[in-house]
Amino acid sequence: MYAALSGAQWVVGKALAPVADGVLEAWAATRNFGFNIEALSMELMLVKATLEQAGRKELGGPAMEMLLHKLRDSAQNAEDLLDELDYFRIHDELHGTHDAAGEHDKGCFHNLAFNARHTAKAFGKLVNCAKPRQRSHSDSSAPDTNQELSGCMPKIGKLLTCSSSPHPHVRDDDRGSVQETPKLEFNRVYFSQRMKDIVEKLQLMRNEVSKILIHCGPRTVPDIALSRPITKSRIDEPKLYGRDHVMNSIIHDITEGQYYDKGLTVLPVVGPGGMGKTTLIKHIYRNQQVQNHFSVMIWICVSLNFNLDKVLEQIKTCTPQVGMEKEGSTTEDLIEQRLKYKRFLLVLDDIWRISNGDDWKKLLSTLNQSEERGCMILVTTRFQAIAQKVKTTGQSIELNGLEYEEFRKLFLAFVFGDEECARDKHFLLETGDKIMEKLKGSPLAAKTVGRLLSKELSLRHWKRVLKSKEWEKQTDDNEIMPALKLSYDFLPFYLKQCFSYSALFPEDYRFRSHELINLWIGLDILIPGGQNQVVQDIGLSNLNELVIHGFFREEETSDGLHYVMHDLLHDLALKVASHDCLSLHFSDVGSVDIQPSTHHLSIRTENLVSSQNIKSELEKLKTSLKVEHLQTLMLFGEMDKGFAKIFGDIWGEANALRVLYLPDMTYHVESMLHNFSGLVHLRFLCLGTNEWQMHLPLSILKFYHLRVLDLKSWHGSCDFPEDMSNLAKLCHYYTPRDADLHSDIYNVGKLKLLEELKVFQVNKKSEVFELKQLEHLTKLRELGIYNLEKVHTKDEAAQAKLIEKNYLRKLTLDWDSDRSTVEPGVEAMVLENLRPHGDLQMLCIRGHGDPSCPTWLGDELVVDALQSLSLYCVSWGVFPSLGKAWDLRQLRLEHIYKPKEFTIEKNFCMLIKLELIGLGSFEKWVYPAEQESSVSGDLLPPDAHMFPLLQVLIIRECPKLLGLPFLEHIVSPDWFPKLQELEVCDCPEFLPVIPISWMESLCFVKMKCIKMLKEFGYSKSSNGAELEIIGEGDLHSIDQVLVFDKETSLGKLKLERCPPLELKHLLMLTSLKTFIVRKSDGLVGPRGQGDVEWKLPVEYIKINDLHGNTGEELTELLPHLPKLSKLEIFECENIKKLVVGVDVQPTTQETSEMGGGEITAAAAAAEEEDDGVLLFPAHLCDSLRELVFYDCPELVLVDPPTLVPGEGGFQALRSLQRLTILRAPKLLSTFSFSRHLFPSSLQFLSLVGVEGMETLEPLSNLSSLTRLELIRCGKDLKCQGLWSLLTTGGQLNKLRVTGSHRFFADWDPNPRRALEDAEGGEEWQTQLVSSTLRELWTDDIAGLLAAPVCTFLSSSLTKLQLWGDLCEGMELFSKEQEDALQLLSSLQKLEFWSFKDLQQLPAGLRKLTSLKILLVNCCPAISSLPNDALPDSLEMLDVYNCSEELKQQCRGLEGTIPDIIII
């Protein structure tokens, strides 16, 4: 009820806005016309007064609510009318016309003729009017004496007739789709009659409301707190889902962690309604460890109002009495006495508001008297502001939705009473998963919806719940929607509007702040709190409040800050705004309840159906709502030409639009809205397209009420309008290229409400680009002035009046760095007179040519609110001191060549980001107390914290800088306690010495091209920490750049061109899992402390192109790596022999002196034969999963003398799953291939250039093999032995064989014959064995395309890639090959590669009825597709680097095949 009242008050206030300053009344001051406006204004004032009186009365009943809605609609009619009149007033003012002037300047006689002409026009339209047309926004069906007359009046869109001026950028054949710029025609009699009608309706309804109010008593404001359930500490849900980690962490911190021995600690738990805050605290409260820890435990449900007296009374009641209590003591005194020697836990559940901050301080003061350490207060709240106010620690616990798996268990527990779904109910889970996705992890939603679904375990019921979102209809206070609506009811009206209208965007939309604020501006719901506010500030303030109240969540991404609304809150927004707001998918039009009162509509158009269905659905939509009442229309998703035409034909009466949002147009806007040029009420217009030939409609320049023009997504023709000065109310103008398009605005000085002008180029074209254009742009928040070298006097500079721009927050002042001449004195004078207002927050100065900075930035700092300063290519001899800029957060100095020193100011205590780039003379850091002393001296206090908040430090191209500001360049952690990112690049004299302990406090370090280092990179993520060091020639020890002062948490270490790691370094790598060394002198260096037993958790090692005795070093390292599962050896010519499965003991000091480890006599003998031996210790037989040898030309695998009979080769590695041998031709040269060489555990085997095998019999034991690659493994290699890998007992599904041109030749995989030969029996005659092979790459075309082979593969093979490298001279496939190919009935993807001479694809491809993808690559002689066409199943045709004839034929198939790629 009172929402309807507030809505009506808001609309009446908007309607009065055009007449508030008297300008419109003065304009219309004629004998009849001015009187009508005065009468309408007076009636609106009376309605406003009546509504104010209603706000003090107790209202009730649906009839009263309906009456208020009708009153609001009539007020909306008044707003429309006054808005249209104001439009014509602006038009007359801009163009000097008299279409709607009060007194014509040619005299009284002319006025009579003028009035007569208007009357005649109106009468003519009345005579020709065939039937009445409803104008009113009211839903009233009461008789209207003026209905016939007002119905015949033309709508505002009809008042605009087209001119004969064609669009200058449109070809003749395109003009039909682009509406021309309209001329305006004003009908005085029509407007007078409309005003009279509206006044009568308003008066009638006002009188009726007044009569009702006489009988209404005074209003009693309901206490929201009364609708809140009082929480108790009793646990309702015995199991806590998804919060175990949080709960255990809090319990640990309370009972033995960070809060254990502290004074009173307040820890808030914050999150939206229904997230389980109270449930979590209940489980903590009832935990036995917690109960043992506290002697006094108190639970208080605070709810809406924090009442100090009530809270203190409850605390007193819950605390046990002590002896010697004084009579007459106050409640505070008694609490202090009782808790003085007690450790207590106080839970304050569900705090909504602390009206008096002093009350909270008094409570803490009372409870702080306890002498026991570790006392706790746990607070639950929905609001971040409350959490910030009460917390005493550096953190609060923020609860969001549960993780999916935990949420699923909770959901199923509420549905089925158990976490698992019964087997006979599994058919419900697909629908259940879709429902769960909507609930986004909300525990209360799981409870609400779970119980709703449990009522009927049928698919019909579950689908109905999903489709209709029945959980929205639940009304019990403990259900999810009432719980969320309670937060909504708590909001003031202006925030309720901002929240509810945000639901016009789709679910899961990731908002940028300007998208929300622009919508709010377009709907006129941003109400200034005072005269000194701009709409952007108001919008940001409202958005921040909604975040604080939990209605939006902030998400920081690489693309900037976004805002997200939970799906349930989106549903709530639509529900509370359902009277006049609707958001739907186009396909749901028939099933959604559409209110005729809908004024705001958004439609999602993904996956549009046929044109006939589109027309039908649009007609349904038009029938259900009143198109002429729509104020908002937003379309999300692409719209084709058919949709645009039908939409335009049906929706031509949408004349009242304030917001039009079309970011994905594929056709002209005039085709979608034929009356586009008549949308005179528009406040917010967003147009976007990717159609490069599409033009912007020139009628944009006639939208005088427009406040936001968003063309950010416009990628059509770039003929943006330049003369936009008509749009005097424009606040925001977004374009895809601000630099070009903002700078093109003619007479920008007329846009006095503009808040951003990112680029203004001085004297760009004519006098309309002089600095004086900026004089009256007092609302600017962001401004960039360029080409300042064209300003020559202080008077010119002063004309910009920057000092008077109170709202200016971001300013760029730019002199062209490539200008031919520099006038230092002139430029100094100009910059001095461009002094900005003191509230400026972000300043960038580029290219200034004077050797000194302006006084307002130097010692006489005026811009003391500065938060960001960027100086680029200025000629200043010293940097500005900035000593008074105590709020400075970001500082960037770039390409400034004169200054030698950088003074570390005391006010840098707030600095978050510091960038020093291209400072050619910079060589010394200076501490302010000792200007003449370098920071590297002894005068710097050892405990100085000069950058306490710095998070990002970037230094580039500073050739003389020796290091960071530390003694001997060793980083002091005291200086950068908050640093997260460090970057130093192209500073050849820079030498940091970084302790591991300091490095690991950072998230990211990047150093390139500095002394001794080509690159030093450190990064930390959820996957662990990673360090990469690439050294230069003068790096002789890791200690020169990295101090191993503690055990490191590094999970990955990559070294390139570095000295070997010493044992002292290895002992610190206690968390290392990945170790990669490339192009270095060795793997590990001298191993002192050899008597220390040590092991590392390394799982993956890769070595590449190492010098020295790599085999020995790796042999000594491997015994210390019990978890090693992956080993890759690349380009190591100095490893010559490999022995697998040797018992190598870990190195000790004694064995190290004896020559490298206690190994078996057999292994020692192998080592003595030749150096370069690599021994695999026995434990690798069980731990190693993957092994790669790449470019090891001398490496030979040898069996140890103690070989167990029947084993050999790699068989000892019994856990090995993946083996790759590439360009290691000698590796298997000592083996005859007459026995098995590889372990049966292998799943992947790739052999490249490994010759010697004649058949695949040595692989026949690989029953787990799923992928096999044999590339250039001998021309005579045959496939005998393959059958066992592809049939019973085998799992091979991917096979690649190239370079063996007779691999499949004469192979008959007929299982019957093979089994007869093997068993000699008749019982196998009828048994069929299917192949496991699904993907095959081969160049043996002749061998493969034989009937026996293709028959064998027919049921399994889905992908076939044929290579023509070995098919020189092959022009056609033979008939037998074509027939064989057609047998592959399961084939889904077929590829032809590099058939140089092939002239035609094989015939019969149409018979491959499962084929979806056909690819033809590098087959230049093929000129056409098969004559018998392609299969109907084909979804993609990909032709690359083939003949033009073939490409042309493929282009002709567009439309018959969904996806055709031609390159």
Side-chain angles (χ1 to χ4, degrees), residues 452-499:
L452 187 62
L453 294 174
S454 67
K455 293 178 180 178
E456 184 180 337
L457 300 180
S458 71
L459 192 58
R460 181 184 61 83
H461 173 62
W462 282 39
K463 285 188 173 182
R464 185 175 67 243
V465 170
L466 171 62
K467 187 172 183 179
S468 63
K469 296 184 179 179
E470 286 194 16
W471 55 87
E472 295 181 12
K473 304 169 187 174
Q474 305 301 301
T475 57
D476 190 280
D477 287 343
N478 292 319
E479 305 295 350
I480 182 62
M481 295 311 284
L484 293 177
K485 189 174 183 299
L486 200 60
S487 293
Y488 171 80
D489 292 337
F490 189 70
L491 295 175
F493 178 70
Y494 68 93
L495 288 182
K496 287 179 179 178
Q497 283 187 300
C498 290
F499 165 67

Side-chain angles (χ1 to χ4, degrees), residues 659-850:
V659 174
L660 181 59
Y661 189 86
L662 305 173
D664 294 303
M665 295 190 304
T666 54
Y667 210 64
H668 301 285
V669 65
E670 295 95 334
S671 297
M672 301 182 61
L673 292 167
H674 298 327
N675 64 324
F676 177 75
S677 60
L679 300 179
V680 297
H681 300 286
L682 271 184
R683 266 70 170 165
F684 173 28
L685 175 63
C686 173
L687 299 178
T689 186
N690 289 315
E691 303 293 326
W692 62 269
Q693 79 281 10
M694 193 181 295
H695 297 276
L696 273 172
L698 290 181
S699 48
I700 286 176
L701 301 178
K702 297 293 185 181
F703 296 152
Y704 303 142
H705 289 309
L706 198 64
R707 295 174 187 173
V708 179
L709 178 56
D710 186 352
L711 303 176
K712 199 80 176 174
S713 299
W714 184 271
H715 302 291
S717 176
C718 294
D719 50 348
F720 286 79
E722 294 180 346
D723 187 7
M724 299 178 61
S725 57
N726 289 353
L727 307 181
K729 295 185 179 182
L730 194 67
C731 300
H732 301 284
Y733 177 35
Y734 301 99
T735 64
R737 299 182 313 283
D738 296 327
D740 295 334
L741 299 169
H742 276 206
S743 65
D744 283 339
I745 303 176
Y746 277 79
N747 288 313
V748 71
K750 294 183 179 181
L751 305 181
K752 297 178 182 180
L753 300 180
L754 199 64
E755 295 188 20
E756 301 99 8
L757 182 59
K758 296 185 179 180
V759 180
F760 178 82
Q761 294 184 1
V762 178
N763 297 335
K764 179 178 180 179
K765 296 179 180 178
S766 63
E767 65 278 358
V768 295
F769 290 96
E770 294 175 345
L771 270 180
K772 65 181 180 183
Q773 286 284 326
L774 304 178
E775 178 180 357
H776 299 295
L777 302 185
T778 56
K779 301 292 186 181
L780 283 174
R781 292 167 47 88
E782 180 177 353
L783 172 63
I785 308 177
Y786 291 76
N787 297 349
L788 279 168
E789 69 279 359
K790 296 181 180 180
V791 180
H792 303 291
T793 68
K794 68 177 184 180
D795 291 338
E796 285 183 82
Q799 284 179 332
K801 294 193 176 181
L802 297 187
I803 197 170
E804 297 180 8
K805 302 191 188 317
N806 300 350
Y807 305 112
L808 193 61
R809 298 295 178 263
K810 184 175 181 180
L811 174 64
T812 298
L813 301 173
D814 186 284
W815 283 259
D816 187 355
S817 299
D818 297 327
R819 61 192 183 279
S820 56
T821 58
V822 176
E823 300 177 273
V826 172
E827 295 185 11
M829 176 183 60
V830 169
L831 183 55
E832 193 65 43
N833 284 275
L834 288 172
R835 170 180 167 178
H837 190 273
D839 290 340
L840 189 72
Q841 295 177 355
M842 303 175 70
L843 174 63
C844 175
I845 301 176
R846 298 193 191 104
H848 185 242
D850 189 71

